[in-house]
Amino acid sequence: MMKMNRREFLKLATATTAGAAMICTADGSYIFPDAVAKADPAAPEVVYYNHCQGCNSGPKCGMKLIVKDGQLIRIERRSEGGHNNPNICAKGAAQVQDIHNPNRLLHPMKRTNPKGEPAQWEQISWEEAIETIAAKFTEIKEKYGADKVMFTTGDPKEPRPVLQRLCFLFGSPNYGTESSTCSTGTRVASYLNYGKNSFATGAGPTPGKTKLFINWGTNPAWSSSYYFETIQKAKASGCKVIVVDPRVTPTVSCVADLHLQIRPATDAALALCFGNALIQADKYDHDFVENYSHGFEEYKARCAEYTVEKTAEICQISVETLQKAIDMILGVEGPMTIQFRAAYPHHVNGVGMARAIQTLIPLSGNLDVDGGQRVSNAKSISLENTKYTGNKLATKGQYDDPTFALRADREYFPVWAECIDEIQLNMLPEYVRDGKIRAAFMLGQNAMMWPDTAAFQKAFDEMDFAVACDYYINPWTHDHCDIILPSAMSPERNYPITTNGMKIYGRQAIPAQGEAHSDCRIVADLACALGFSEEFCGGGEGVEDKIIENILFAGNKDIVAAGVKLADVYAAAPNPVVVPTEQPAENPEKKYRTQDNFFPTPTGKFEFASEVLKKFGFDPVVDHIEPAYSPVSTPDVAKDFPLILNTGSRVPMYVHSRHRQQPWLRALMPDPIVRLYPTDAAERGIVEGDDVILATPFGEIKVKAEVTNIVKPGVIDIFHGWQQANVNGIMNRVIGETLDPLSGFPAFKEGLCQVRKA
Ligand code: SF4
């Protein structure tokens, strides 16, 4: 990766972006001289107090957009309203290049040639686009059934409830999101263990309270700077930090007291070993185990199989290092907590790994504990009054609910279908092949995000009708669509989001480019054309505010109870309106677990042995499962593909396939790279910057080599989302081999591969 200091970055940025300059001030603000020059100097400056949508970081960074004469002239960190994030990062600043990018999709377009070849587009009016889509969807509904039309969202996440509402009102249960490959596998784990979503990814440390924090398989130094700062504050207040990661990330370098550099896909073994240590040392929460859990004896027996010696061998770490970690866990005087995020679903045993890690929190007595894992009091905004509303797992499950009988994913992924109220999309090509899905309406859809990308492109080709809404024309997806619609970017639209436990609101700061509309309005206009005008406030200009006020706010009991109106939110700026939730701020008495139905699992208790898994014929107790392809399980395959493939981890300048169009960011990482350990590179005669071929049993791509000790020997690391080198395109989709049979998630972090000089 090219490395530059800030001065060099700015110099390069101004030199490489025709007509797009930027000045970064000492306080971390970004000034855009071109916009300043265009604005009437006499016009007043207007400040919009928003949140950056430059990445999927949670919590969102607060951001001020300063607008003059309709021009975005400056971006500043927002400190008002309790925001405490670091300065806006390069991605946040570079969004100005996104807005004015000459390649943006600015008008509704209809293709004029058959699908399956590079698309030729003809500009059409919004009226024609919406009428055509509504007519086609109605025709398919009448001929084949409403369930044959699928509605999906990618990035951003804010239009999800609006689209779900349309999907369900239309009569289709086939609503899906990009969460089919993001982190929702951890939600499945949380439902199986706890019966609810609240504990999906563990919890970060609380500065001043947490005494031991395990950062398990995440690199917030690159993926979530706001959250990373919290870890740094906790460490400064005396919290010890263990990082579990096959890579020596900046998070390891900055905060780790101990680094467990385990072999990918061995996390369940490590977690079971920790469980065994807690049980053997009698350092577990007896009250929790005896009164609030189910299946402890089976779990205890499974843990006993994972001795320190055996686990060290599986994980490929030393016994001494593993014992050090155990000593830290057993010896901690005070609360411990664990955070893990999107890495764990990306294994064939992903749900199992997440369950094994989650289990350590209540087992060690850190559930309902300040500084441990608290009950989340953040609530998502959801739309009420849809035909199928909300997640229905509770104690009855939703697999058998007739409402969901026509879900396309039901037979493929019964556990996912039981737990999650959106369809699992990784088998979409099969749903299309089987005639379960014939048309799609997609916000921010990206064919490259799926493993075996070509199968998804073919599926879009084979659909009767496919519609995509996006910021740009992305040929890898849109060459396979019939109509594409221009979406407004975040500074160009009004939108509700939830972050940091607050209900907040993003305001449109500048006019949308071309004819772009917010996703919310596009969905509302289509809904009106399909006959749901009343349910979508009549659609049209300004519908976003009407939906927020009349549906989102009116349908949320916390907001109703607080009496909050949109006008209050406007008036409160720069401070956000904080909506109190039911949960008290402090809970030292561990009282949540005593509430009725606190664990809405089939047994009403935390399930060490899952009754849902038993029902569907899976092992109810977590275990380490060796990947279907690994040097251990398939030494014959490993002869030709000896390296372990790790993809999907973050880099600082991109988010998935986003931001490649922004020259300031592209300058920081111009080409797709594969990271190799120095000895692995030397064995292959590869040096830094070489063109190399990355091959898996399912295909190959050409990338550049970065030789670095950031990766573990024998493991490579590659960032995804490159059109010219799509690593997801050289993966396959076989349930139980390369897809987790419980969640349907692809094994992005455990395949086998080889690297050779091009
Ligand atoms: S980390 Fe950067 S891109 Fe992400 S929200 Fe914060 S400023 Fe925006």
Side-chain angles (χ1 to χ4, degrees):
M1 190 193 312
M2 192 180 293
K3 297 179 179 72
M4 275 181 271
N5 60 32
R6 175 170 285 178
R7 183 190 297 269
E8 289 165 335
F9 167 67
L10 291 176
K11 208 170 138 194
L12 180 71
T14 41
T16 55
T17 55
M22 182 219 344
I23 297 165
C24 181
T25 65
D27 65 356
S29 301
Y30 298 93
I31 300 168
F32 308 113
D34 294 343
V36 174
K38 277 188 206 153
D40 176 356
E45 288 187 2
V46 184
V47 182
Y48 292 88
Y49 295 89
N50 276 1
H51 296 80
C52 180
Q53 299 268 42
C55 74
N56 303 120
S57 164
K60 296 272 175 211
C61 293
M63 174 187 263
K64 285 193 278 194
L65 302 172
I66 292 93
V67 174
K68 191 180 176 81
D69 191 22
Q71 301 287 328
L72 176 56
I73 61 166
R74 199 164 73 246
I75 287 176
E76 293 175 9
R77 170 179 172 268
R78 171 183 178 178
S79 52
E80 296 84 352
H83 290 279
N84 202 17
N85 51 276
N87 284 337
I88 298 303
C89 78
K91 295 189 291 286
Q95 65 182 278
V96 72
Q97 289 190 310
D98 231 1
I99 295 163
H100 298 291
N101 193 302
N103 298 322
R104 265 192 77 176
L105 172 59
L106 297 175
H107 307 282
M109 308 289 249
K110 177 175 78 176
R111 78 177 301 134
T112 56
N113 61 332
K115 287 197 284 187
E117 52 190 68
Q120 290 162 16
W121 298 106
E122 174 188 84
Q123 184 178 331
I124 56 173
S125 67
W126 271 109
E127 291 72 25
E128 182 183 347
I130 295 293
E131 278 170 21
T132 306
I133 299 164
K136 198 74 194 169
F137 284 2
T138 303
E139 181 192 324
I140 291 168
K141 179 178 180 174
E142 286 169 357
K143 221 162 156 184
Y144 305 106
D147 56 294
K148 303 299 183 290
V149 181
M150 171 185 90
F151 296 80
T152 69
T153 70
D155 198 70
K157 301 181 197 303
E158 84 215 19
R160 286 181 177 201
V162 187
L163 190 68
Q164 187 202 45
R165 182 180 179 86
L166 171 57
C167 179
F168 291 170
L169 283 167
F170 184 75
S172 173
N174 290 314
Y175 162 77
T177 75
E178 49 80 29
S179 291
S180 280
T181 65
C182 182
S183 64
T184 299
T186 61
R187 279 178 59 199
V188 175
S190 187
Y191 279 112
L192 297 177
N193 280 350
Y194 293 96
K196 59 171 85 168
N197 180 27
S198 322
F199 307 101
T201 56
T206 307
K209 290 184 175 166
T210 306
K211 296 298 175 200
L212 177 62
F213 172 56
I214 306 181
N215 185 82
W216 204 312
T218 76
N219 177 22
W222 280 358
S223 63
S224 182
S225 52
Y226 198 159
Y227 164 61
F228 184 60
E229 208 169 64
T230 304
I231 301 174
Q232 290 177 302
K233 283 178 187 160
K235 188 167 170 69
S237 68
C239 176
K240 296 286 181 202
V241 180
I242 298 174
V243 179
V244 184
D245 202 311
R247 305 187 307 157
V248 190
T249 63
T251 301
V252 172
S253 315
C254 292
V255 297
D257 294 286
L258 183 69
H259 178 204
L260 298 178
Q261 195 177 15
I262 62 171
R263 176 168 67 97
T266 61
D267 309 69
L270 183 64
L272 288 164
C273 180
F274 288 160
N276 191 40
L278 286 163
I279 294 165
Q280 295 306 319
D282 198 16
K283 292 254 183 179
Y284 65 94
D285 185 340
H286 284 259
D287 172 56
F288 177 81
V289 164
E290 282 152 30
N291 299 310
Y292 303 99
S293 81
H294 165 76
F296 176 69
E297 289 304 322
E298 291 153 87
Y299 169 76
K300 180 180 170 186
R302 183 63 49 79
C303 285
E305 297 171 25
Y306 290 89
T307 61
V308 173
E309 292 71 22
K310 177 179 165 179
T311 306
E313 191 184 336
I314 293 171
C315 298
Q316 289 181 352
I317 55 176
S318 72
V319 167
E320 293 70 31
T321 305
L322 177 54
Q323 190 59 54
K324 247 187 228 171
I326 290 170
D327 292 345
M328 286 172 78
I329 292 169
L330 298 182
V332 63
E333 289 180 4
M336 172 185 90
T337 187
I338 305 173
Q339 179 95 68
F340 54 100
R341 292 205 174 184
Y344 290 97
H346 298 145
H347 293 281
V348 174
N349 187 28
V351 170
M353 290 181 192
R355 282 184 70 213
I357 301 166
Q358 278 175 4
T359 298
L360 296 171
I361 296 167
L363 182 73
S364 60
N366 284 293
L367 186 68
D368 283 357
V369 170
D370 266 351
Q373 168 118 39
R374 298 289 315 284
V375 175
S376 166
N377 62 1
K379 291 187 177 177
S380 296
I381 298 174
S382 63
L383 283 168
E384 304 285 336
N385 307 323
T386 51
K387 190 174 172 194
Y388 321 121
T389 294
N391 194 296
K392 293 192 164 194
L393 177 70
T395 51
K396 64 177 183 181
Q398 61 188 25
Y399 183 83
D400 298 321
D401 188 320
T403 306
F404 295 103
L406 294 173
R407 265 179 65 153
D409 60 339
R410 201 164 164 276
E411 273 85 43
Y412 289 92
F413 303 109
V415 174
W416 169 278
E418 174 89 346
C419 305
I420 304 296
D421 56 357
E422 53 189 62
I423 61 168
Q424 167 50 262
L425 290 169
N426 274 296
M427 293 299 266
L428 177 64
E430 284 68 20
Y431 310 155
V432 174
R433 180 201 65 196
D434 298 344
K436 290 171 188 279
I437 299 292
R438 306 186 75 104
F441 183 82
M442 305 179 287
L443 302 174
Q445 177 59 259
N446 177 7
M448 268 200 299
M449 72 178 281
W450 309 105
D452 186 14
T453 302
F456 283 79
Q457 293 165 328
K458 186 163 169 276
F460 298 146
D461 285 340
E462 288 173 354
M463 284 182 190
D464 295 357
F465 199 62
V467 182
C469 307
D470 222 313
Y471 303 141
Y472 293 97
I473 298 182
N474 296 323
W476 57 89
T477 304
H478 300 149
D479 274 356
H480 309 276
C481 294
D482 296 276
I483 283 184
I484 52 176
L485 303 173
S487 295
M489 292 181 170
S490 62
E492 303 172 333
R493 62 183 189 243
N494 288 345
Y495 57 94
I497 59 173
T498 303
T499 190
N500 222 3
M502 296 178 290
K503 309 293 187 291
I504 56 174
Y505 178 63
R507 281 191 72 180
Q508 179 178 0
I510 53 173
Q513 295 289 298
E515 293 184 277
H517 285 173
S518 72
D519 289 336
C520 179
R521 176 172 172 190
I522 297 171
V523 173
D525 287 351
L526 176 60
C528 293
L530 286 166
F532 306 113
S533 181
E534 198 183 320
E535 293 86 346
F536 281 87
C537 305
E541 196 173 342
V543 72
E544 300 88 351
D545 280 5
K546 290 182 201 161
I547 284 180
I548 291 167
E549 182 90 295
N550 298 319
I551 302 174
L552 289 172
F553 279 20
N556 186 298
K557 62 180 167 49
D558 292 326
I559 294 179
V560 172
V564 173
K565 299 285 177 203
L566 193 54
D568 302 329
V569 179
Y570 281 137
N575 296 312
V577 172
V578 178
V579 180
T581 59
E582 290 167 344
Q583 306 291 357
E586 295 294 323
N587 175 40
E589 295 96 15
K590 297 187 180 182
K591 65 183 178 187
Y592 291 126
R593 65 177 67 170
T594 64
Q595 290 172 358
D596 281 350
N597 207 29
F598 184 68
F599 298 115
T601 57
T603 59
K605 295 181 172 186
F606 177 91
E607 294 195 350
F608 287 105
S610 165
E611 291 298 312
V612 172
L613 290 185
K614 210 184 275 180
K615 168 179 163 183
F616 290 107
F618 294 98
D619 184 349
V621 183
V622 172
D623 202 355
H624 164 65
I625 299 172
E626 192 60 34
Y629 296 97
S630 87
V632 175
S633 56
T634 52
D636 49 332
V637 179
K639 274 186 202 144
D640 294 328
F641 301 96
L643 299 167
I644 296 173
L645 177 80
N646 182 57
T647 182
S649 46
R650 298 288 190 267
V651 291
M653 67 292 289
Y654 300 134
V655 180
H656 304 307
S657 64
R658 289 179 66 188
H659 305 310
R660 304 296 200 286
Q661 298 93 338
Q662 296 161 20
W664 292 334
L665 299 177
R666 187 63 179 261
L668 297 171
M669 190 185 199
D671 301 303
I673 56 165
V674 60
R675 296 190 170 115
L676 280 163
Y677 194 75
T679 51
D680 291 326
E683 276 171 21
R684 291 162 176 77
I686 292 168
V687 296
E688 175 90 11
D690 273 354
D691 287 329
V692 296
I693 302 294
L694 170 68
T696 71
F698 313 105
E700 44 186 62
I701 53 175
K702 188 173 164 191
V703 293
K704 289 206 176 290
E706 182 179 301
V707 179
T708 170
N709 60 4
I710 211 173
V711 288
K712 188 177 172 75
V715 181
I716 66 98
D717 183 55
I718 181 166
F719 188 65
H720 56 291
W722 293 94
Q723 184 192 1
Q724 69 273 42
N726 172 25
V727 67
N728 291 351
I730 56 172
M731 298 185 167
N732 76 339
R733 296 172 303 111
V734 177
I735 297 171
E737 262 187 44
T738 48
L739 296 179
D740 184 336
L742 305 187
S743 68
F745 269 54
F748 286 142
K749 301 189 188 310
E750 64 180 40
L752 289 176
C753 66
Q754 176 61 298
V755 180
R756 64 175 194 272
K757 280 187 87 154

